[in-house]
Amino acid sequence: MMELIGIPPQALFGQLMLGLINGSFYAMLSLGLAVIFGLLNVINFAHGAQYMLGAFVAWMLLNWLGIPYWGALVIAPILVAATGLVIERVFLRRLHDLDHLYGLLLTFGLALIFEGVMRSQFGAAGMPYGNPLPGGVNLGFMYLPWYRGWIIVASLAICLATWFVIERTKLGAYLRAATERPEIVQSFGIDVPRMITLTYAFGVGLAALAGVLAAPAYQVSPNMGSNLIIVVFAVVVIGGMGSIMGAIVTGFGLGVIEGLTKVFYPEASNTVIFVIMALVLMVRPAGLFGAAK
Amino acid sequence: MPETLLKVSDLHGWYGESHILHGMNFEVRKGELVTLLGRNGAGKTTTLKAIMGLLRQRKGSVAFDGTETISMAPHKIARLGVALCPEERGIFSALTVRENLHLPPVLREGGMTEAEIDTLFPRLKERWGNSGAKLSGGEQQMLAIARILRTGATLVLLDEPTEGLAPVIVQQIRDALLELKRRGLTVLLVEQNFRFASTVADRHYVVEHGQVVDHMTSDEIAANTERLEAFLGV
Ligand SMILES: Nc1ncnc2c1ncn2[C@@H]1O[C@H](COP(=O)(O)OP(=O)(O)OP(=O)(O)O)[C@@H](O)[C@H]1O
Ligand SMILES: [Mg+2]
């Protein structure tokens, strides 16, 4: 087959797809971070650890209880979201009136605890999780493994559904309004404290869901989240905290840019996102889609 | 005489360390329009926030329709039928005019229908799809009043609705207030402009340093103009 700009199409499309897959995880995680930050004013540093917990819970469900992937896809996010419920009620609520920094420190501490516990129980090496969708299809210009296709489709669906609920429904209108002026929304008779708890749990559940999706694609390991979350924070800075669609577009877009960099200039592939972050911070400190607060 | 709807007794309020309300005492009867007059910083807004439950540090008694609300959360107080129209209007810029209007859930029967709101504030309808941020000050005030009228609240707390508005718009707000009164709503209105207040309200409480220091009916305002001017520093 023809070569494009001196690159074999298999390699180009292969990297493009890996980029889209990474972008799927960037998008799902930055979406949750943005929703949590919007309503709680908390930079949820535990987000990566909660993604990791999602993968571990899926692994435990499979190996200890025999619950397969498709069951874990539903159960694991609910279980991890329940821990989010407790974290918000017990800890974050008390920090609500304080500076951002306290929430960040608390969730950073929680992340260290979650990772430490998992490392001591399961070791640092990482454990495999069987692929629930083996095989694939040859598209002519590239080979598409089913599971990779599923990750992209599932995360797109999750992101768009979240966007729809937030931007187009009554529930989402409460959320957007409470992000701006929580006390006014509460004075309308809406139980804003409960909404805050549920929103945190939702964001955490979203991270866990991404973790379950990631389990068959990567190793299930205690540091899988901390490796990813640094890049996700850069994605959030680039996209800006203000916009849901912004988080989705930036997540997928940066995944693709990173993938293409691997093809054309592999030396820069680990740093390209941080270079973009630095440039964006200079030109638009509030991020590409963020409104200056 | 109609029965008391709101009774505030020995209400104290704090922001952190600063003690702002020093034992407020007043009451509003069903169907009345009562104002709190007082100069800047007297504690009028703080009083409304305390009644709505938004001022967390508060003590004393606020009885609404016989129910003690001093330790209730704001959303519970709202569900009893209390609504607040805040000083800054509180229109959400992330929402359209329509979404803003429909945001507060209808909590009880007797709220205005959309058609009635359109008749009361025809200007709003023309700006239905705009972002809340694009409204003029007067339109924002109308929207802020309109959206709580849908909910069926029986006590409406209005914080300086005419502040910074042109005379024509003030006229429209006045008409709206009279319409609320005609419909039997009870209104607690915060105002600095007592001349405006005397044209809509039944009675007035003068607030100074977080206490009620005087009380008069609208008929008595004319006779007390000088004293009021001294109180309000106008
Ligand atoms: N969030 C706050 N934190 C600390 N102090 C506050 C806060 N809000 C108001 N105050 C103080 O409380 C006092 C009463 O304020 P309040 O807003 O109730 O006055 P007001 O009568 O409504 O005045 P205005 O006519 O200017 O609206 C003022 O001294 C003000 O500085
Ligand atoms: Mg005020």
Side-chain angles (χ1 to χ4, degrees):
Chain A
M1 192 180 242
M2 218 182 72
E3 294 203 346
L4 297 163
I5 357 170
I7 309 279
Q10 291 284 355
L12 179 65
F13 287 112
Q15 286 301 340
L16 203 61
M17 176 158 67
L18 285 181
L20 271 178
I21 288 178
N22 284 335
S24 301
F25 292 112
Y26 300 161
M28 282 186 286
L29 292 178
S30 56
L31 188 61
L33 277 178
V35 172
I36 290 172
F37 181 77
L39 194 59
L40 283 85
N41 254 320
V42 165
I43 299 170
N44 185 34
F45 225 92
H47 218 67
Q50 284 152 339
Y51 157 87
M52 175 273 293
L53 286 181
F56 266 97
V57 171
W59 185 92
M60 292 180 226
L61 287 172
L62 180 69
N63 291 284
W64 296 355
L65 301 176
I67 297 174
Y69 175 84
W70 302 104
L73 207 51
V74 178
I75 300 170
I78 292 176
L79 291 177
V80 180
T83 68
L85 222 73
V86 175
I87 291 170
E88 201 283 331
R89 274 285 156 100
V90 176
F91 300 114
L92 291 175
R93 176 157 298 185
R94 294 166 204 276
L95 306 180
H96 200 249
D97 295 330
L98 304 176
D99 192 81
H100 290 344
L101 198 58
Y102 292 88
L104 191 138
L105 285 173
L106 178 92
T107 53
F108 183 60
L110 289 174
L112 293 179
I113 293 171
F114 293 152
E115 283 185 29
V117 168
M118 289 302 153
R119 193 174 301 118
S120 76
Q121 294 300 307
F122 298 93
M127 306 172 296
Y129 186 101
N131 184 348
L133 284 175
V137 59
N138 196 339
L139 299 175
F141 56 91
M142 66 175 289
Y143 178 76
L144 173 68
W146 289 125
Y147 192 75
R148 292 189 173 175
W150 160 247
I151 291 180
I152 296 170
V153 171
S155 69
L156 257 181
I158 291 162
C159 288
L160 293 178
T162 306
W163 172 84
F164 182 84
V165 169
I166 293 176
E167 297 292 339
R168 291 287 180 269
T169 66
K170 188 73 190 259
L171 185 69
Y174 289 141
L175 191 78
R176 277 176 287 144
T179 297
E180 248 178 274
R181 302 286 305 272
E183 75 287 358
I184 292 184
V185 174
Q186 199 176 3
S187 78
F188 291 160
I190 292 161
D191 192 345
V192 171
R194 194 173 67 185
M195 196 164 121
I196 289 176
T197 309
L198 292 177
T199 300
Y200 185 73
F202 170 78
V204 170
L206 202 59
L209 181 57
V212 183
L213 277 174
Y218 307 110
Q219 296 267 306
V220 176
S221 77
N223 60 357
M224 65 190 284
S226 48
N227 294 343
L228 183 60
I229 202 66
I230 301 299
V231 184
V232 171
F233 275 117
V235 171
V236 169
V237 171
I238 294 169
M241 280 290 198
S243 151
I244 298 301
M245 196 44 109
I248 300 172
V249 170
T250 315
F252 279 99
L254 287 172
V256 168
I257 289 176
E258 199 182 34
L260 292 178
T261 313
K262 278 204 182 93
V263 180
F264 293 107
Y265 192 58
E267 296 84 346
S269 63
N270 287 329
T271 46
V272 62
I273 288 188
F274 298 99
V275 172
I276 295 175
M277 177 178 92
L279 292 176
V280 168
L281 278 177
M282 283 193 290
V283 184
R284 275 187 70 106
L288 295 177
F289 297 88
K293 246 192 182 174
Chain B
M1 199 156 70
E3 55 188 304
T4 301
L5 184 64
L6 176 75
K7 186 164 175 60
V8 174
S9 325
D10 196 28
L11 176 64
H12 288 256
W14 293 261
Y15 288 111
E17 297 284 288
S18 35
H19 193 173
I20 305 292
L21 301 181
H22 299 269
M24 295 279 294
N25 290 290
F26 63 93
E27 60 177 48
V28 184
R29 292 189 282 274
K30 276 193 178 138
E32 265 191 320
L33 199 160
V34 170
T35 70
L36 298 178
L37 302 171
R39 67 171 76 192
N40 295 107
K44 307 179 298 290
T45 298
T46 309
T47 305
L48 295 192
K49 282 188 181 167
I51 296 170
M52 193 70 240
L54 295 173
L55 183 74
R56 237 173 291 169
Q57 297 168 269
R58 58 189 198 275
K59 273 204 185 110
S61 165
V62 176
F64 175 73
D65 215 359
T67 307
E68 180 57 62
T69 65
I70 196 74
S71 48
M72 277 179 145
H75 61 276
K76 298 253 169 71
I77 297 175
R79 289 175 197 170
L80 296 175
V82 182
L84 170 69
C85 213
E87 197 167 10
E88 338 72 58
R89 281 108 200 214
I91 300 304
F92 298 103
S93 57
L95 272 55
T96 63
V97 170
R98 192 200 167 88
E99 281 181 312
N100 265 288
L101 184 62
H102 286 264
L103 192 69
V106 175
L107 297 172
R108 37 185 49 235
E109 286 177 18
M112 281 195 189
T113 63
E114 207 153 288
E116 287 170 325
I117 287 174
D118 284 346
T119 324
L120 197 57
F121 298 116
R123 290 169 73 117
L124 286 182
K125 178 106 189 173
E126 299 160 22
R127 301 193 172 40
W128 223 216
N130 288 8
S131 146
K134 300 242 165 67
L135 294 182
S136 73
E139 289 159 353
Q140 287 196 13
Q141 189 62 61
M142 290 174 196
L143 179 55
I145 297 177
R147 71 179 172 189
I148 56 176
L149 296 181
R150 272 183 65 254
T151 65
T154 46
L155 173 66
V156 179
L157 311 171
L158 291 175
D159 201 345
E160 303 206 36
T162 63
E163 195 184 9
L165 301 183
V168 210
I169 312 287
V170 171
Q171 251 329 299
Q172 289 178 27
I173 303 279
R174 198 183 94 108
D175 293 343
L177 290 182
L178 292 174
E179 172 64 18
L180 299 192
K181 216 169 130 179
R182 202 187 57 74
R183 296 179 68 102
L185 266 82
T186 308
V187 181
L188 180 59
L189 172 71
V190 163
E191 262 299 336
Q192 299 218 38
N193 179 347
F194 66 85
R195 293 199 171 80
F196 170 79
S198 68
T199 65
V200 287
D202 303 302
R203 296 188 296 119
H204 312 268
Y205 289 99
V206 179
V207 181
E208 201 172 58
H209 300 305
Q211 281 182 317
V212 171
V213 293
D214 205 350
H215 168 255
M216 61 190 69
T217 63
S218 281
D219 301 333
E220 290 162 354
I221 276 207
N224 287 299
T225 311
E226 272 171 33
R227 208 153 57 92
L228 274 171
E229 278 175 349
F231 265 133
L232 302 179
V234 286

